Amino acid sequence: MLIITSANSAKSRLKARRMCGISGVVLTTGEVGPLLLDSLKRLEYRGYDSVGVATVVNGKILLKKDIGKIGEVESKLRIGELSGTTGIGHTRWATHGAPSRENAHPHTDCNGSVAVVHNGIIENFMELKQQLEAAGHVLRSRTDTEVVAHLVEENLKLKIGLVEAVRRAALKLTGAYALAFICADEPEKIVCVRKESPLVIGVGSGANYLASDIPAFLPRTRTALLLEDDEMAVLTCNQVLVMKVESGEVVAREPFTVEWSVETATKGGFPHFMLKEIYEQPLTVRNALRTQPIYLELMASALSRASRIFLLACGTSYHACVAATYGFANLAKVEVTPVIASEFIDAYGALVDKDTVVLTVSQSGETADTLTAVRGAKDRGATILGLTNVMGSTLTRLSDVYIGQNSGPERGVAATKTFTAQYAVLIKIALTLARKRNTVGSADLQRFEDGFNQLPQWISGTLSSQKDNVRRIVEKNSDKISFCFLGRGISVATALEGRLKLLELSYLPAIAYPAGESKHGFISVVEEGYPVIFVAPQDEAYSKIIGNVMEMKARHAHIVSLVEGNDDQVAPLSDEVIQMPSAVPPLLTPIVFIVPLQLFAYGMAVTKGYDPDFPRNLAKSVTVH
Ligand code: AGP
């Protein structure tokens, strides 16, 4: 029996991918309804725009689902009162298909004899859907998930049983998924399968559980086992069987004991949501890069017809827009104007007309300043494109075309994973537009594809190699009363975002500047030991930033530099060095170089005794002007 004491081992093995929460319970006797309801409440931090439960009773699937938070749906539908000893449940964070009753999970096949819940993204669902519809299946929702219920239905026609039907269906899927199935004809079991999305089994006595995360069943059992990628499990009330999807071969798996409290488990073993969300970025960036090409094409078409393009947002989202400006110019050879939403109408209202496209970025999709600017642009005939993390938000309703960035709920008020995901989608849009305008060659495109594939490792590599170094730099500078962040080229956006994180979490007056501009004013502030943080990747601007580092050194500033591993020009001039991966394509550096600055701000807040999740005077979504 393996004992889980330190968060690290379980945390690294769980790799939480935040999108939805799935749950399953199979009992010897009793009703699963109340247990499923309770487990979903414990998973609500993973998604809360729609909820549903399905059980098997007397050879029939009973299903209740609707749009809304668990409490609201429970009071309407009494999902907790569903009877049966076998059931599955789901709390949703919409990625494909806005929140609606049809798009809520569980989804079923044509005759309602198979039900499925899902967390993740089925990348090839469009083509599977076309094949199934051609074979006569009727799909009722706009989700990627429903396709899988019909795939299993198709396999069951071969009289191979639910386990084999699920295995064969899983072999046809690409993407990330944790799926759980029940079937009217096999009421005693739940079959689940996993690839990348988290799925953990709770081992009870006379009962077994599955969930996206441990908190769901922790009040009932502390004995758990993890499914690895490309594995599936069959749960009955007194057995858990783990198998390989590829071969169907049974695998022996050692259960472990969870010692975490429910609260710690909800944070995945991290002390704060913000730190958990910083560590989610290798996966949330990959998620964002999985945006369906059809939506990128729709955005690029609208942009290619525009006579004027604005990138509109507030706060961190605005910094993603500033970074994207470099991408649109250098890749698609298109001029876009990043604008702070509260200034948009005053500054540019007179220029907005029917040939204007406004690409609006908002994590929450509810920021009042952003929505007002969007409405002003719409009134002037502009086309509105939306990029948000909340499907069904007001921005999605105001947009002509919108994309969900698939980051999952962000609980920390300070935006972290949503910044890197936003910028990842924006650079994908710029690349799609560049391909449409033929302004990038195949070699460039390949370099970006390779870069996209390496981003998760560059981020996780930076987290593991620099976290202690950043903590040391925080401790050494925690008495400083102000900081300045400098960058050139696209790193101006990284410096701006690094500054915002420190400012909003440590309440220290921090400054950010294009490094070249620093000698036109800021430099007068610099004195012995004043901390200046340079974002200095070896891109086109590198040769010029060396001079700026020397200017600060000459005035005895305390220089902290983010430089590539093989740096031999800026590093020797610096008092502290944060080593970053080499050869990150310049237009992708904001996604990697922001990570140690997020850790720096988090560390400074904790060192000063502030709560990094809920900084004073701030709200996660600013819905007032
Ligand atoms: C960033 O950490 C802040 N939470 C804040 O600046 C935020 O980015 C801004 O309010 C915009 O929010 P939105 O992306 O939800 O529109």
Side-chain angles (χ1 to χ4, degrees):
M1 178 74 85
L2 178 65
I3 302 289
I4 290 277
T5 51
S6 73
N8 289 341
S9 52
K11 196 172 11 175
S12 56
R13 298 181 64 194
L14 268 179
K15 289 191 182 164
R17 181 183 289 276
R18 298 271 150 276
M19 231 166 303
C20 308
I22 74 171
S23 168
V25 181
V26 57
L27 304 172
T28 309
T29 57
E31 307 294 350
V32 288
L35 302 182
L36 284 169
L37 179 63
D38 179 65
S39 66
L40 292 176
K41 282 184 181 153
R42 294 173 189 284
L43 291 172
E44 196 163 24
Y45 63 90
R46 304 174 58 83
Y48 36 75
D49 60 44
S50 43
V51 184
V53 165
T55 61
V56 192
V57 178
N58 304 334
K60 279 211 166 355
I61 297 258
L62 302 181
L63 186 150
K64 288 185 177 179
K65 64 178 183 178
D66 207 344
I67 188 172
K69 292 197 169 188
I70 294 176
E72 296 154 7
V73 175
E74 169 56 9
S75 52
K76 247 189 301 184
L77 300 181
R78 296 270 164 257
I79 51 178
E81 291 168 12
L82 265 180
S83 56
T85 55
T86 304
I88 52 178
H90 187 272
T91 180
R92 186 170 190 238
W93 182 265
T95 55
H96 289 84
S100 68
R101 190 189 174 289
E102 291 65 42
N103 292 338
H105 299 211
H107 289 283
T108 60
D109 61 345
C110 291
N111 50 35
S113 61
V114 173
V116 61
V117 290
H118 171 221
N119 167 27
I121 303 165
I122 309 288
E123 283 180 21
N124 60 338
F125 84 99
M126 285 283 201
E127 84 206 48
L128 292 170
K129 190 171 183 167
Q130 279 138 18
Q131 291 164 11
L132 287 160
E133 285 173 338
H137 287 262
V138 178
L139 281 81
R140 293 170 285 258
S141 77
R142 296 171 59 81
T143 66
D144 50 344
T145 306
E146 187 188 353
V147 160
V148 193
H150 294 269
L151 270 181
V152 171
E153 175 188 13
E154 202 55 30
N155 293 342
L156 283 171
K157 291 178 185 161
L158 308 168
K159 304 279 174 254
I160 54 177
L162 180 64
V163 177
E164 185 55 15
V166 168
R167 191 183 73 80
R168 294 186 190 185
L171 291 171
K172 289 202 175 137
L173 306 178
T174 62
Y177 47 82
L179 293 154
F181 301 81
I182 56 174
C183 174
D185 304 336
E186 299 178 52
E188 75 294 351
K189 64 173 65 102
I190 302 176
V191 178
C192 58
V193 56
R194 172 197 180 190
K195 185 176 178 56
E196 286 192 26
S197 294
L199 192 54
V200 60
I201 311 285
V203 182
S205 56
N208 286 311
Y209 312 86
L210 66 86
S212 301
D213 212 342
I214 286 174
F217 54 69
L218 209 47
R220 270 160 280 285
T221 178
R222 288 187 166 279
T223 308
L225 61 84
L226 285 171
L227 273 196
E228 302 296 347
D229 273 354
D230 301 313
E231 287 185 345
M232 57 190 291
V234 182
L235 277 66
T236 59
C237 59
N238 49 27
Q239 187 195 40
V240 176
L241 206 60
V242 178
M243 304 150 65
K244 288 228 167 293
V245 170
E246 189 58 42
S247 60
E249 165 212 342
V250 173
V251 181
R253 179 60 35 80
E254 174 80 7
F256 59 86
T257 301
V258 182
E259 307 231 351
W260 290 340
S261 68
V262 172
E263 206 244 334
T264 308
T266 308
K267 290 178 180 150
F270 289 93
H272 298 99
F273 284 110
M274 180 185 176
L275 193 59
K276 177 182 168 183
E277 286 152 6
I278 290 173
Y279 275 81
E280 280 177 20
Q281 292 179 104
L283 297 169
T284 48
V285 163
R286 189 184 293 156
N287 258 2
L289 294 169
R290 280 198 168 111
T291 299
Q292 294 283 325
I294 182 173
Y295 305 133
L296 297 169
E297 287 298 333
L298 285 171
M299 286 256 180
S301 312
L303 291 165
S304 63
R305 292 190 298 274
S307 65
R308 194 186 301 279
I309 301 172
F310 294 101
L311 303 187
L312 185 69
C314 299
T316 289
S317 299
Y318 169 70
H319 297 147
C321 294
V322 171
T325 307
Y326 294 78
F328 281 102
N330 291 291
L331 294 171
K333 313 290 183 252
V334 166
E335 179 187 354
V336 300
T337 309
V339 189
I340 289 175
S342 52
E343 285 305 314
F344 179 62
I345 297 299
D346 296 338
Y348 297 101
L351 305 177
V352 177
D353 61 22
K354 63 175 180 37
D355 300 322
T356 302
V357 170
V358 175
L359 174 40
T360 310
V361 181
S362 172
Q363 184 285 125
S364 61
E366 300 297 350
T367 299
D369 289 336
T370 303
L371 298 180
T372 300
V374 165
R375 291 190 180 96
K378 254 176 119 60
D379 295 349
R380 290 165 173 78
T383 300
I384 305 298
L385 307 180
L387 171 56
T388 183
N389 191 34
V390 183
M391 301 292 270
S393 59
T394 306
L395 177 59
T396 59
R397 294 196 292 279
L398 289 172
S399 300
D400 301 293
V401 181
Y402 64 84
I403 287 181
Q405 62 183 74
N406 301 334
S407 308
E410 186 170 61
R411 302 288 300 274
V413 167
T416 52
K417 63 177 182 177
T418 52
F419 169 72
T420 47
Q422 280 165 347
Y423 180 65
V425 176
L426 287 170
I427 204 71
K428 273 251 171 176
I429 297 171
L431 258 176
T432 309
L433 182 59
R435 199 182 292 120
K436 194 181 273 300
R437 292 166 51 83
N438 260 329
T439 52
V440 277
S442 52
D444 279 335
L445 290 171
Q446 192 49 52
R447 219 186 345 272
F448 268 96
E449 278 320 310
D450 298 345
F452 288 149
N453 294 333
Q454 285 188 66
L455 278 171
Q457 293 97 284
W458 279 328
I459 297 171
S460 47
T462 300
L463 286 166
S464 51
S465 69
Q466 295 305 309
K467 70 177 187 304
D468 298 335
N469 182 26
V470 172
R471 191 179 304 126
R472 183 188 57 74
I473 295 171
V474 166
E475 277 145 20
K476 207 162 164 205
N477 293 279
S478 58
D479 60 340
K480 300 285 171 56
I481 56 167
S482 173
F483 289 80
C484 179
F485 296 76
L486 298 179
R488 292 189 81 117
I490 198 166
S491 298
V492 170
T494 313
L496 286 167
E497 179 55 13
R499 181 275 298 267
L500 176 59
K501 292 282 97 63
L502 184 67
L503 187 137
E504 67 182 321
L505 293 170
S506 70
Y507 318 147
L508 289 172
I511 302 165
Y513 258 87
E517 182 64 10
S518 61
K519 53 187 178 296
H520 301 285
F522 160 68
I523 199 160
S524 66
V525 171
V526 179
E527 56 193 12
E528 175 84 31
Y530 185 98
V532 178
I533 300 177
F534 278 94
V535 182
Q538 290 177 24
D539 57 15
E540 303 80 3
Y542 180 73
S543 59
K544 286 170 272 171
I545 207 165
I546 298 167
N548 301 126
V549 177
M550 289 173 152
E551 285 154 11
M552 296 301 152
K553 185 122 187 103
R555 285 141 184 95
H556 311 296
H558 182 75
I559 295 175
V560 178
S561 298
L562 282 71
V563 293
E564 298 187 20
N566 57 358
D567 185 289
D568 58 3
Q569 303 205 57
V570 170
L573 296 167
S574 308
D575 302 284
E576 316 276 3
V577 166
I578 297 176
Q579 287 223 347
M580 302 302 295
S582 297
V584 176
L587 289 172
L588 298 183
T589 54
I591 295 177
V592 184
F593 278 62
I594 193 58
V595 173
L597 300 180
Q598 294 167 340
L599 284 178
F600 182 75
Y602 169 83
M604 194 60 83
V606 171
T607 303
K608 289 179 175 295
Y610 301 141
D611 181 343
D613 282 345
F614 302 101
R616 69 185 186 198
N617 306 340
L618 287 176
K620 183 63 190 165
S621 177
V622 183
T623 53
V624 293
H625 290 302

